[in-house]
Structures are given as C-alpha cells and as structure tokens.
Amino acid sequence: MKLEDIRREYTKDGLRREMLKDTPVAQFELWLQQAIEAKFADPTAMVVATVDEHGQPSQRIVLLKHVDENGFVFFTNTGSRKAQELKQNSKICLHFPWHEIERQVIVYGEAQALPTSRVAKYFLSRPKESQLAAWASQQSRPVSSRQALMQTFSSMKDKFAKGEIPLPDFWGGYCVVPTKIEFWQGGEHRLHDRFMYVKQADGSWEIERLNP
C-alpha cells in the first residue's frame, strides 16, 4: 500500500464548547483520567519540544509526573540536550498523542526549574535501579558502546551498595507553566474539533474554536 493511501476516519466522539471545563487543567485532568481508564500503555507519555540557539527544534518523549493549576511537571538530567536548550530559551511545547481515543492535547508555555527539595523528594521515590541509571547516564552525550554504559551502571551499583542513593547534582525538574493549551478531537471527513484555551492578562482563560 502506498503511504498516501493510508488513512482512516475519526468517528469515536465529538467535542463541543459546552462540554469543556472552565480551565484547561481541569479539562486535561478529565481526558488524562479517561486515557488511564482506557488502559493505554503510557498514558502520561508526552513529546517535549525545545529549540536550540540556532532555532533548530528537537523532540523527545518524557513522562508527565504531576499536573495542577500551576503547570505540568517532568524531571530530567540537567546536562541533557533539552535542559541545555531550556537554559537558552525557556519556551517549550508538550504534546500528548492519545491516538486510541482520537485525541491530542498540545501545551504551549515556559519551563521553570523546580527547587532542589522537590526534585530530591521525587528522586528518592524512584526505584533504586532508576536512581542508579540517573547516575550512570551522561544523558544526550556520546557513549562508545552499550557495554560501556552497563559497566558504568555496575560501578554505580557497587558505589552506592549501602544506604540511600544521593541526588545527583546534575539532575533536576521543570514545571511547564502554560500560556495556551489546545484540545483536539478527531472528527469525520477530517472536520476535527479543536479548541484553544488562551491565558489572559488577569489569569483567566479565553476559549476559541479553531478550524480543523
């Protein structure tokens, strides 16, 4: 089959203005819960897009770890490409592709670094192997082989065999404070339903329907 012939109709649901919550976070939490109940493999997986100093965008998949009215939280190695790009430009975009229920959510905003106390609290809640992996990986930097990576992991395992594993000084987190959030629901004949919440100067949210 030719690539241009691969298509399907979106018929699961529709989205109308009266169905939307007053705030985008409340609407997001509703959709996230429905994605969880649908038993997706990774309902909290999101594409995180950043831009480097040359204007080159880059993307990667990260897991959402918390959401509330303040924003969307994730954690990462601060030496990673995304963290280095956020130092240059704090603007960021998140994308939740919930294909199984024909929905997407796109978050536009700015990333604010989390305090060390909050990062440490989450880091200590992770499985021990994940903590060790954080120490072993110089994220986004070249590594000679898988074997070399595993050897570093093994040495970290020996080093921290006793007691708690400390928080690496190169590990942090961000809260993405949203300025706009789009909710996309697939529709028949490519007439999708799209609504954009736009934050106003007084902190309220204005909702506008977008053309598909």
mmCIF file of all heavy atoms in Angstrom, residues 72-108:
data_model
loop_
_atom_site.group_PDB
_atom_site.id
_atom_site.type_symbol
_atom_site.label_atom_id
_atom_site.label_comp_id
_atom_site.label_asym_id
_atom_site.label_seq_id
_atom_site.Cartn_x
_atom_site.Cartn_y
_atom_site.Cartn_z
ATOM 1 N N PHE A 72 2.650 21.661 34.359
ATOM 2 C CA PHE A 72 2.946 20.270 34.048
ATOM 3 C C PHE A 72 4.403 19.977 34.429
ATOM 4 O O PHE A 72 5.307 20.675 33.975
ATOM 5 C CB PHE A 72 2.732 20.002 32.554
ATOM 6 C CG PHE A 72 1.323 20.262 32.084
ATOM 7 C CD1 PHE A 72 0.841 21.568 31.945
ATOM 8 C CD2 PHE A 72 0.477 19.205 31.772
ATOM 9 C CE1 PHE A 72 -0.465 21.809 31.514
ATOM 10 C CE2 PHE A 72 -0.822 19.435 31.335
ATOM 11 C CZ PHE A 72 -1.298 20.735 31.211
ATOM 12 N N VAL A 73 4.621 18.929 35.228
ATOM 13 C CA VAL A 73 5.941 18.674 35.799
ATOM 14 C C VAL A 73 6.603 17.443 35.177
ATOM 15 O O VAL A 73 5.961 16.405 34.997
ATOM 16 C CB VAL A 73 5.835 18.484 37.328
ATOM 17 C CG1 VAL A 73 7.154 17.995 37.919
ATOM 18 C CG2 VAL A 73 5.397 19.795 37.987
ATOM 19 N N PHE A 74 7.901 17.591 34.861
ATOM 20 C CA PHE A 74 8.713 16.444 34.457
ATOM 21 C C PHE A 74 10.116 16.618 35.016
ATOM 22 O O PHE A 74 10.519 17.710 35.425
ATOM 23 C CB PHE A 74 8.744 16.263 32.934
ATOM 24 C CG PHE A 74 9.487 17.328 32.181
ATOM 25 C CD1 PHE A 74 10.843 17.175 31.875
ATOM 26 C CD2 PHE A 74 8.848 18.479 31.742
ATOM 27 C CE1 PHE A 74 11.534 18.149 31.166
ATOM 28 C CE2 PHE A 74 9.528 19.459 31.025
ATOM 29 C CZ PHE A 74 10.878 19.297 30.735
ATOM 30 N N PHE A 75 10.886 15.506 35.040
ATOM 31 C CA PHE A 75 12.233 15.510 35.594
ATOM 32 C C PHE A 75 13.217 15.016 34.543
ATOM 33 O O PHE A 75 12.860 14.240 33.656
ATOM 34 C CB PHE A 75 12.293 14.620 36.841
ATOM 35 C CG PHE A 75 11.406 15.101 37.962
ATOM 36 C CD1 PHE A 75 10.083 14.684 38.048
ATOM 37 C CD2 PHE A 75 11.885 15.992 38.912
ATOM 38 C CE1 PHE A 75 9.252 15.143 39.066
ATOM 39 C CE2 PHE A 75 11.059 16.458 39.929
ATOM 40 C CZ PHE A 75 9.738 16.031 40.009
ATOM 41 N N THR A 76 14.485 15.472 34.661
ATOM 42 C CA THR A 76 15.480 15.112 33.656
ATOM 43 C C THR A 76 16.884 15.398 34.159
ATOM 44 O O THR A 76 17.078 16.091 35.173
ATOM 45 C CB THR A 76 15.238 15.897 32.351
ATOM 46 O OG1 THR A 76 16.118 15.408 31.334
ATOM 47 C CG2 THR A 76 15.478 17.384 32.546
ATOM 48 N N ASN A 77 17.863 14.870 33.442
ATOM 49 C CA ASN A 77 19.263 15.194 33.650
ATOM 50 C C ASN A 77 19.487 16.634 33.179
ATOM 51 O O ASN A 77 19.138 16.977 32.049
ATOM 52 C CB ASN A 77 20.123 14.210 32.853
ATOM 53 C CG ASN A 77 21.605 14.372 33.091
ATOM 54 O OD1 ASN A 77 22.134 15.469 33.055
ATOM 55 N ND2 ASN A 77 22.279 13.254 33.306
ATOM 56 N N THR A 78 20.080 17.472 34.013
ATOM 57 C CA THR A 78 20.251 18.876 33.631
ATOM 58 C C THR A 78 21.377 19.085 32.627
ATOM 59 O O THR A 78 21.559 20.195 32.121
ATOM 60 C CB THR A 78 20.502 19.753 34.871
ATOM 61 O OG1 THR A 78 21.636 19.246 35.594
ATOM 62 C CG2 THR A 78 19.281 19.746 35.781
ATOM 63 N N GLY A 79 22.112 18.016 32.343
ATOM 64 C CA GLY A 79 23.114 18.091 31.283
ATOM 65 C C GLY A 79 22.581 17.635 29.947
ATOM 66 O O GLY A 79 23.301 17.653 28.941
ATOM 67 N N SER A 80 21.323 17.207 29.908
ATOM 68 C CA SER A 80 20.711 16.709 28.679
ATOM 69 C C SER A 80 20.518 17.830 27.666
ATOM 70 O O SER A 80 20.567 19.016 28.003
ATOM 71 C CB SER A 80 19.354 16.068 28.989
ATOM 72 O OG SER A 80 18.438 17.055 29.461
ATOM 73 N N ARG A 81 20.277 17.431 26.430
ATOM 74 C CA ARG A 81 20.073 18.419 25.378
ATOM 75 C C ARG A 81 18.885 19.322 25.688
ATOM 76 O O ARG A 81 18.963 20.545 25.520
ATOM 77 C CB ARG A 81 19.859 17.715 24.033
ATOM 78 C CG ARG A 81 19.657 18.689 22.859
ATOM 79 C CD ARG A 81 19.584 17.936 21.541
ATOM 80 N NE ARG A 81 18.489 16.980 21.540
ATOM 81 C CZ ARG A 81 18.294 16.070 20.589
ATOM 82 N NH1 ARG A 81 19.145 15.986 19.588
ATOM 83 N NH2 ARG A 81 17.258 15.246 20.648
ATOM 84 N N LYS A 82 17.778 18.738 26.142
ATOM 85 C CA LYS A 82 16.596 19.559 26.403
ATOM 86 C C LYS A 82 16.842 20.580 27.510
ATOM 87 O O LYS A 82 16.416 21.733 27.418
ATOM 88 C CB LYS A 82 15.381 18.691 26.727
ATOM 89 C CG LYS A 82 15.514 17.750 27.890
ATOM 90 C CD LYS A 82 14.258 16.895 28.009
ATOM 91 C CE LYS A 82 14.447 15.735 28.969
ATOM 92 N NZ LYS A 82 15.489 14.781 28.512
ATOM 93 N N ALA A 83 17.565 20.142 28.569
ATOM 94 C CA ALA A 83 17.848 21.062 29.665
ATOM 95 C C ALA A 83 18.776 22.184 29.221
ATOM 96 O O ALA A 83 18.591 23.346 29.598
ATOM 97 C CB ALA A 83 18.454 20.302 30.838
ATOM 98 N N GLN A 84 19.764 21.854 28.403
ATOM 99 C CA GLN A 84 20.679 22.874 27.903
ATOM 100 C C GLN A 84 19.956 23.853 26.978
ATOM 101 O O GLN A 84 20.230 25.063 26.998
ATOM 102 C CB GLN A 84 21.847 22.204 27.170
ATOM 103 C CG GLN A 84 22.767 21.407 28.077
ATOM 104 C CD GLN A 84 23.337 22.245 29.203
ATOM 105 O OE1 GLN A 84 23.954 23.284 28.973
ATOM 106 N NE2 GLN A 84 23.116 21.811 30.438
ATOM 107 N N GLU A 85 19.025 23.339 26.181
ATOM 108 C CA GLU A 85 18.266 24.226 25.302
ATOM 109 C C GLU A 85 17.330 25.122 26.102
ATOM 110 O O GLU A 85 17.124 26.296 25.744
ATOM 111 C CB GLU A 85 17.501 23.390 24.271
ATOM 112 C CG GLU A 85 18.435 22.745 23.257
ATOM 113 C CD GLU A 85 17.744 21.868 22.236
ATOM 114 O OE1 GLU A 85 16.537 21.592 22.386
ATOM 115 O OE2 GLU A 85 18.428 21.453 21.285
ATOM 116 N N LEU A 86 16.786 24.604 27.193
ATOM 117 C CA LEU A 86 15.897 25.411 28.021
ATOM 118 C C LEU A 86 16.644 26.526 28.739
ATOM 119 O O LEU A 86 16.049 27.538 29.118
ATOM 120 C CB LEU A 86 15.157 24.523 29.035
ATOM 121 C CG LEU A 86 14.071 23.634 28.431
ATOM 122 C CD1 LEU A 86 13.553 22.632 29.456
ATOM 123 C CD2 LEU A 86 12.915 24.470 27.874
ATOM 124 N N LYS A 87 17.955 26.352 28.939
ATOM 125 C CA LYS A 87 18.757 27.434 29.503
ATOM 126 C C LYS A 87 18.812 28.616 28.542
ATOM 127 O O LYS A 87 18.806 29.777 28.959
ATOM 128 C CB LYS A 87 20.188 26.947 29.778
ATOM 129 C CG LYS A 87 20.356 26.147 31.043
ATOM 130 C CD LYS A 87 21.825 25.835 31.262
ATOM 131 C CE LYS A 87 22.039 25.029 32.532
ATOM 132 N NZ LYS A 87 23.490 24.723 32.748
ATOM 133 N N GLN A 88 18.855 28.307 27.251
ATOM 134 C CA GLN A 88 18.923 29.344 26.221
ATOM 135 C C GLN A 88 17.552 29.950 25.926
ATOM 136 O O GLN A 88 17.428 31.141 25.650
ATOM 137 C CB GLN A 88 19.499 28.750 24.928
ATOM 138 C CG GLN A 88 20.875 28.154 25.064
ATOM 139 C CD GLN A 88 21.965 29.190 25.265
ATOM 140 O OE1 GLN A 88 21.860 30.317 24.796
ATOM 141 N NE2 GLN A 88 23.002 28.801 25.992
ATOM 142 N N ASN A 89 16.530 29.089 25.974
ATOM 143 C CA ASN A 89 15.177 29.508 25.611
ATOM 144 C C ASN A 89 14.193 28.679 26.426
ATOM 145 O O ASN A 89 14.040 27.483 26.193
ATOM 146 C CB ASN A 89 14.948 29.290 24.113
ATOM 147 C CG ASN A 89 13.599 29.786 23.636
ATOM 148 O OD1 ASN A 89 12.716 30.113 24.442
ATOM 149 N ND2 ASN A 89 13.408 29.828 22.326
ATOM 150 N N SER A 90 13.534 29.301 27.363
ATOM 151 C CA SER A 90 12.651 28.570 28.283
ATOM 152 C C SER A 90 11.303 28.214 27.671
ATOM 153 O O SER A 90 10.518 27.493 28.289
ATOM 154 C CB SER A 90 12.420 29.396 29.556
ATOM 155 O OG SER A 90 11.753 30.619 29.245
ATOM 156 N N LYS A 91 11.036 28.694 26.453
ATOM 157 C CA LYS A 91 9.771 28.347 25.811
ATOM 158 C C LYS A 91 9.788 26.866 25.423
ATOM 159 O O LYS A 91 10.801 26.340 24.963
ATOM 160 C CB LYS A 91 9.513 29.235 24.600
ATOM 161 C CG LYS A 91 9.158 30.669 24.989
ATOM 162 C CD LYS A 91 8.678 31.467 23.811
ATOM 163 C CE LYS A 91 8.063 32.787 24.253
ATOM 164 N NZ LYS A 91 8.923 33.559 25.149
ATOM 165 N N ILE A 92 8.633 26.220 25.571
ATOM 166 C CA ILE A 92 8.547 24.775 25.422
ATOM 167 C C ILE A 92 7.157 24.388 24.940
ATOM 168 O O ILE A 92 6.202 25.157 25.098
ATOM 169 C CB ILE A 92 8.850 24.106 26.799
ATOM 170 C CG1 ILE A 92 9.057 22.601 26.674
ATOM 171 C CG2 ILE A 92 7.772 24.435 27.817
ATOM 172 C CD1 ILE A 92 9.588 21.971 27.958
ATOM 173 N N CYS A 93 7.068 23.220 24.308
ATOM 174 C CA CYS A 93 5.774 22.710 23.854
ATOM 175 C C CYS A 93 5.672 21.237 24.232
ATOM 176 O O CYS A 93 6.635 20.476 24.065
ATOM 177 C CB CYS A 93 5.643 22.883 22.346
ATOM 178 S SG CYS A 93 4.018 22.429 21.694
ATOM 179 N N LEU A 94 4.525 20.840 24.771
ATOM 180 C CA LEU A 94 4.247 19.453 25.131
ATOM 181 C C LEU A 94 3.129 18.925 24.242
ATOM 182 O O LEU A 94 2.187 19.654 23.929
ATOM 183 C CB LEU A 94 3.810 19.343 26.596
ATOM 184 C CG LEU A 94 4.648 20.061 27.647
ATOM 185 C CD1 LEU A 94 4.015 19.907 29.028
ATOM 186 C CD2 LEU A 94 6.078 19.543 27.653
ATOM 187 N N HIS A 95 3.223 17.661 23.859
ATOM 188 C CA HIS A 95 2.200 17.055 23.010
ATOM 189 C C HIS A 95 1.832 15.680 23.558
ATOM 190 O O HIS A 95 2.701 14.821 23.722
ATOM 191 C CB HIS A 95 2.721 16.922 21.576
ATOM 192 C CG HIS A 95 1.765 16.255 20.647
ATOM 193 N ND1 HIS A 95 2.154 15.349 19.692
ATOM 194 C CD2 HIS A 95 0.413 16.351 20.527
ATOM 195 C CE1 HIS A 95 1.084 14.919 19.032
ATOM 196 N NE2 HIS A 95 0.025 15.512 19.523
ATOM 197 N N PHE A 96 0.555 15.480 23.846
ATOM 198 C CA PHE A 96 0.037 14.190 24.294
ATOM 199 C C PHE A 96 -0.736 13.561 23.141
ATOM 200 O O PHE A 96 -1.841 14.010 22.805
ATOM 201 C CB PHE A 96 -0.887 14.374 25.505
ATOM 202 C CG PHE A 96 -0.191 14.898 26.726
ATOM 203 C CD1 PHE A 96 -0.006 16.268 26.898
ATOM 204 C CD2 PHE A 96 0.279 14.034 27.694
ATOM 205 C CE1 PHE A 96 0.649 16.759 28.028
ATOM 206 C CE2 PHE A 96 0.931 14.510 28.828
ATOM 207 C CZ PHE A 96 1.112 15.872 28.988
ATOM 208 N N PRO A 97 -0.198 12.518 22.492
ATOM 209 C CA PRO A 97 -0.853 11.895 21.332
ATOM 210 C C PRO A 97 -1.668 10.661 21.735
ATOM 211 O O PRO A 97 -1.174 9.535 21.683
ATOM 212 C CB PRO A 97 0.345 11.505 20.455
ATOM 213 C CG PRO A 97 1.423 11.184 21.453
ATOM 214 C CD PRO A 97 1.170 12.013 22.676
ATOM 215 N N TRP A 98 -2.895 10.866 22.126
ATOM 216 C CA TRP A 98 -3.745 9.752 22.551
ATOM 217 C C TRP A 98 -4.522 9.215 21.346
ATOM 218 O O TRP A 98 -5.734 9.414 21.207
ATOM 219 C CB TRP A 98 -4.679 10.216 23.664
ATOM 220 C CG TRP A 98 -3.948 10.562 24.932
ATOM 221 C CD1 TRP A 98 -2.843 9.940 25.438
ATOM 222 C CD2 TRP A 98 -4.274 11.604 25.855
ATOM 223 N NE1 TRP A 98 -2.450 10.524 26.618
ATOM 224 C CE2 TRP A 98 -3.318 11.557 26.905
ATOM 225 C CE3 TRP A 98 -5.266 12.583 25.901
ATOM 226 C CZ2 TRP A 98 -3.335 12.441 27.981
ATOM 227 C CZ3 TRP A 98 -5.282 13.461 26.978
ATOM 228 C CH2 TRP A 98 -4.338 13.379 28.003
ATOM 229 N N HIS A 99 -3.805 8.533 20.448
ATOM 230 C CA HIS A 99 -4.387 8.095 19.181
ATOM 231 C C HIS A 99 -5.558 7.143 19.371
ATOM 232 O O HIS A 99 -6.525 7.173 18.596
ATOM 233 C CB HIS A 99 -3.319 7.403 18.331
ATOM 234 C CG HIS A 99 -2.145 8.261 18.001
ATOM 235 N ND1 HIS A 99 -2.252 9.453 17.317
ATOM 236 C CD2 HIS A 99 -0.825 8.111 18.288
ATOM 237 C CE1 HIS A 99 -1.069 9.993 17.182
ATOM 238 N NE2 HIS A 99 -0.176 9.206 17.756
ATOM 239 N N GLU A 100 -5.475 6.279 20.389
ATOM 240 C CA GLU A 100 -6.504 5.246 20.551
ATOM 241 C C GLU A 100 -7.898 5.836 20.772
ATOM 242 O O GLU A 100 -8.898 5.216 20.422
ATOM 243 C CB GLU A 100 -6.146 4.311 21.713
ATOM 244 C CG GLU A 100 -4.900 3.468 21.455
ATOM 245 C CD GLU A 100 -3.637 4.138 21.983
ATOM 246 O OE1 GLU A 100 -3.630 5.386 22.086
ATOM 247 O OE2 GLU A 100 -2.675 3.419 22.299
ATOM 248 N N ILE A 101 -7.963 7.010 21.389
ATOM 249 C CA ILE A 101 -9.265 7.655 21.592
ATOM 250 C C ILE A 101 -9.397 8.907 20.723
ATOM 251 O O ILE A 101 -10.242 9.767 20.983
ATOM 252 C CB ILE A 101 -9.516 7.986 23.087
ATOM 253 C CG1 ILE A 101 -8.334 8.738 23.692
ATOM 254 C CG2 ILE A 101 -9.796 6.706 23.867
ATOM 255 C CD1 ILE A 101 -8.559 9.153 25.147
ATOM 256 N N GLU A 102 -8.536 8.985 19.699
ATOM 257 C CA GLU A 102 -8.613 10.035 18.684
ATOM 258 C C GLU A 102 -8.551 11.431 19.294
ATOM 259 O O GLU A 102 -9.321 12.329 18.937
ATOM 260 C CB GLU A 102 -9.885 9.842 17.835
ATOM 261 C CG GLU A 102 -9.894 8.499 17.123
ATOM 262 C CD GLU A 102 -11.168 8.218 16.346
ATOM 263 O OE1 GLU A 102 -12.109 9.043 16.418
ATOM 264 O OE2 GLU A 102 -11.225 7.177 15.660
ATOM 265 N N ARG A 103 -7.592 11.597 20.221
ATOM 266 C CA ARG A 103 -7.430 12.880 20.891
ATOM 267 C C ARG A 103 -5.959 13.292 20.920
ATOM 268 O O ARG A 103 -5.067 12.455 20.918
ATOM 269 C CB ARG A 103 -7.947 12.810 22.330
ATOM 270 C CG ARG A 103 -9.458 12.697 22.442
ATOM 271 C CD ARG A 103 -9.874 12.521 23.892
ATOM 272 N NE ARG A 103 -11.331 12.512 24.035
ATOM 273 C CZ ARG A 103 -11.970 12.242 25.164
ATOM 274 N NH1 ARG A 103 -11.281 11.950 26.265
ATOM 275 N NH2 ARG A 103 -13.286 12.253 25.196
ATOM 276 N N GLN A 104 -5.767 14.597 20.955
ATOM 277 C CA GLN A 104 -4.448 15.172 21.179
ATOM 278 C C GLN A 104 -4.601 16.366 22.116
ATOM 279 O O GLN A 104 -5.625 17.054 22.089
ATOM 280 C CB GLN A 104 -3.824 15.673 19.880
ATOM 281 C CG GLN A 104 -3.676 14.651 18.779
ATOM 282 C CD GLN A 104 -3.081 15.279 17.531
ATOM 283 O OE1 GLN A 104 -1.936 15.727 17.530
ATOM 284 N NE2 GLN A 104 -3.881 15.346 16.475
ATOM 285 N N VAL A 105 -3.575 16.600 22.928
ATOM 286 C CA VAL A 105 -3.503 17.828 23.722
ATOM 287 C C VAL A 105 -2.131 18.437 23.478
ATOM 288 O O VAL A 105 -1.116 17.743 23.529
ATOM 289 C CB VAL A 105 -3.695 17.568 25.228
ATOM 290 C CG1 VAL A 105 -3.589 18.879 26.005
ATOM 291 C CG2 VAL A 105 -5.048 16.914 25.500
ATOM 292 N N ILE A 106 -2.103 19.738 23.188
ATOM 293 C CA ILE A 106 -0.848 20.441 22.952
ATOM 294 C C ILE A 106 -0.752 21.602 23.942
ATOM 295 O O ILE A 106 -1.671 22.424 24.033
ATOM 296 C CB ILE A 106 -0.761 20.974 21.513
ATOM 297 C CG1 ILE A 106 -0.982 19.834 20.508
ATOM 298 C CG2 ILE A 106 0.599 21.635 21.266
ATOM 299 C CD1 ILE A 106 -1.100 20.303 19.078
ATOM 300 N N VAL A 107 0.350 21.627 24.683
ATOM 301 C CA VAL A 107 0.570 22.644 25.712
ATOM 302 C C VAL A 107 1.697 23.564 25.271
ATOM 303 O O VAL A 107 2.803 23.108 24.959
ATOM 304 C CB VAL A 107 0.937 21.989 27.062
ATOM 305 C CG1 VAL A 107 1.164 23.061 28.129
ATOM 306 C CG2 VAL A 107 -0.147 21.004 27.494
ATOM 307 N N TYR A 108 1.442 24.870 25.264
ATOM 308 C CA TYR A 108 2.464 25.870 24.969
ATOM 309 C C TYR A 108 2.752 26.638 26.260
ATOM 310 O O TYR A 108 1.821 27.025 26.968
ATOM 311 C CB TYR A 108 1.973 26.864 23.915
ATOM 312 C CG TYR A 108 1.537 26.233 22.606
ATOM 313 C CD1 TYR A 108 0.236 25.757 22.436
ATOM 314 C CD2 TYR A 108 2.420 26.125 21.537
ATOM 315 C CE1 TYR A 108 -0.167 25.174 21.234
ATOM 316 C CE2 TYR A 108 2.032 25.563 20.332
ATOM 317 C CZ TYR A 108 0.733 25.088 20.190
ATOM 318 O OH TYR A 108 0.325 24.509 18.999
#
